[in-house]
Amino acid sequence: MAVKRAGDADASEPAAKKALTQSAPVPNNKTMPTDYGFIEAAPAGCLKIVTYNVNSLAAASKKGFKEYVAAESPDILCLQETKANQPMAFLLSKTQYPHQLWHCSRAKKGYSGTAVFSKRKPLRTTYGFEDNKLDDEGRLITVEYDSFHLVACYVPNAGEKLVRLDRRMRWDEAMRAHLDALEQTKPVIYTGDLNVAHAEVDLARPDTNHRSAGFTDEERQSFTTTLQGSALPRVDAFRQLYPTARADAYTYFGYRANCREKRLGWRLDYFVVSQPLMPRVVDVINRNQCYGASDHVPLLLYLRDTVEADDSAG
């Protein structure tokens, strides 16, 4: 997410957790950790899914990305803004991640792009929407697994002076139709850099950003409509569990004006799940210690699994 914003420069669902437990102030480090001892073992019987906007995979790989992935070892890793022109064949071992899915921008080199690395074999994978013109920037990978659809996405930014806001609204409408169609067969996990701070609690300086990309009334209302769903609601899983989290919820800190040190951030990265899937959500964790490989931090979902782990590399 590179667009300048104010503050960058001048049902039987889990009960909400009262607050994020912090033994120290919200981190404001500018380089990746050298010790990942804070990464806990996954709860028994859980699938670990990570979403991470890497803001150039080639650059992130030189700044601690690989070390983080080795320490985290997610079952499924969703990346956004790879800026890769073709698959990076030797990035991560195919022994660890036998299923490596890439969607690169056709519209512009070194721009946008998404990837999914999976220990578990997908049943089916599709790239973009049926209308390929809407996703010629490599922004959408949809992966079908045994009990859910994974929609890994890098939502278009509305741009400086909101020059791409209309395109963003068309994208959101197409995404709702896509999610609706998928939910006719299985529940959905919709994840990635969704490029919206949904509520005032989701950014440090809401008062000065109402006409900034990612916090316009149009984008926020559009996200509300996405959450409402057509048949059943969808759930912003992190916010469901942590309704009052603020600075410890931010996933993006712009490089300008020392935003990380000042803790001036935005919550732009999400796990949105179909309501029937929410009872399987054990936790959503913001790895806010893991800043420095990108201007975003990783976000982690623990999902109670329904498939034996031995099926993963089949």
Side-chain angles (χ1 to χ4, degrees):
M1 179 69 176
V3 171
K4 175 180 171 182
R5 297 180 165 102
D8 283 3
D10 330 49
S12 52
E13 297 170 354
K17 302 177 189 291
K18 290 183 179 180
L20 290 174
T21 301
Q22 294 288 338
S23 57
V26 176
N28 63 350
N29 54 299
K30 295 181 181 178
T31 58
M32 293 292 276
T34 56
D35 180 357
Y36 286 97
F38 58 85
I39 293 182
E40 69 290 336
C46 282
L47 194 65
K48 180 191 280 193
I49 306 174
V50 166
T51 183
Y52 193 5
N53 179 320
V54 292
N55 189 25
S56 173
L57 197 43
S61 295
K62 299 174 183 177
K63 296 187 286 185
F65 164 79
K66 290 183 179 180
E67 291 79 1
Y68 162 71
V69 174
E72 189 74 80
S73 189
D75 297 295
I76 302 171
L77 173 64
C78 305
L79 302 180
Q80 303 88 47
E81 207 170 358
T82 63
K83 300 184 180 180
N85 296 322
Q86 60 188 9
M88 298 171 67
F90 302 103
L91 180 72
L92 297 176
S93 166
K94 286 198 173 182
T95 301
Q96 183 180 18
Y97 291 103
H99 312 288
Q100 302 191 7
L101 314 171
W102 295 83
H103 192 25
C104 302
S105 173
R106 302 186 306 275
K108 185 192 305 185
K109 288 188 176 181
Y111 181 70
S112 186
T114 49
V116 174
F117 296 82
S118 181
K119 296 178 181 179
R120 180 159 298 175
K121 184 177 181 179
L123 301 179
R124 182 171 180 263
T125 302
T126 58
Y127 300 88
F129 296 114
E130 289 185 7
D131 178 3
N132 286 326
K133 292 181 181 179
L134 193 58
D135 184 19
D136 59 358
E137 296 174 346
R139 293 182 177 274
L140 173 63
I141 302 176
T142 302
V143 188
E144 182 181 358
Y145 290 100
D146 182 70
S147 63
F148 61 87
H149 295 284
L150 178 73
V151 178
C153 186
Y154 178 34
V155 171
N157 187 279
E160 294 280 3
K161 299 182 180 180
L162 306 178
V163 295
R164 302 212 319 167
L165 182 58
D166 287 347
R167 183 179 188 274
R168 165 61 183 270
M169 294 297 99
R170 293 196 303 273
W171 175 280
D172 286 357
E173 185 176 356
M175 179 56 70
R176 284 191 286 272
H178 184 58
L179 297 175
D180 288 346
L182 293 173
E183 286 173 328
Q184 292 180 16
T185 59
K186 293 177 183 178
V188 165
I189 299 173
Y190 174 37
T191 187
D193 178 355
L194 304 189
N195 253 323
V196 64
H198 188 213
E200 292 197 352
V201 72
D202 291 323
L203 71 167
R205 292 182 172 173
D207 291 346
T208 57
N209 277 291
H210 281 280
R211 294 311 292 168
S212 296
F215 196 61
T216 63
D217 292 345
E218 295 93 329
E219 291 165 291
R220 295 167 64 198
Q221 180 55 51
S222 182
F223 190 67
T224 296
T225 302
T226 298
L227 292 178
Q228 289 170 344
S230 61
L232 289 172
R234 303 180 184 110
V235 182
D236 173 354
F238 179 89
R239 193 52 80 195
Q240 172 78 12
L241 296 174
Y242 301 102
T244 62
R246 190 152 196 153
D248 40 8
Y250 302 155
T251 61
Y252 164 78
F253 300 85
Y255 288 137
R256 301 179 179 96
N258 221 7
C259 287
R260 175 66 174 179
E261 183 172 331
K262 297 173 184 176
R263 301 182 175 91
L264 300 177
W266 295 56
R267 186 172 77 100
L268 299 177
D269 304 86
Y270 292 78
F271 284 99
V272 173
V273 303
S274 304
Q275 189 179 54
L277 202 59
M278 192 64 200
R280 288 174 54 193
V281 172
V282 174
D283 206 354
V284 181
I285 297 174
N286 181 3
R287 291 287 193 222
N288 54 14
Q289 309 96 323
C290 300
Y291 184 86
S294 169
D295 51 3
H296 289 246
V297 297
L299 189 67
L300 161 68
L301 172 75
Y302 284 128
L303 184 75
R304 191 169 293 109
D305 202 0
T306 61
V307 178
E308 291 296 326
D310 289 344
D311 291 346
S312 60

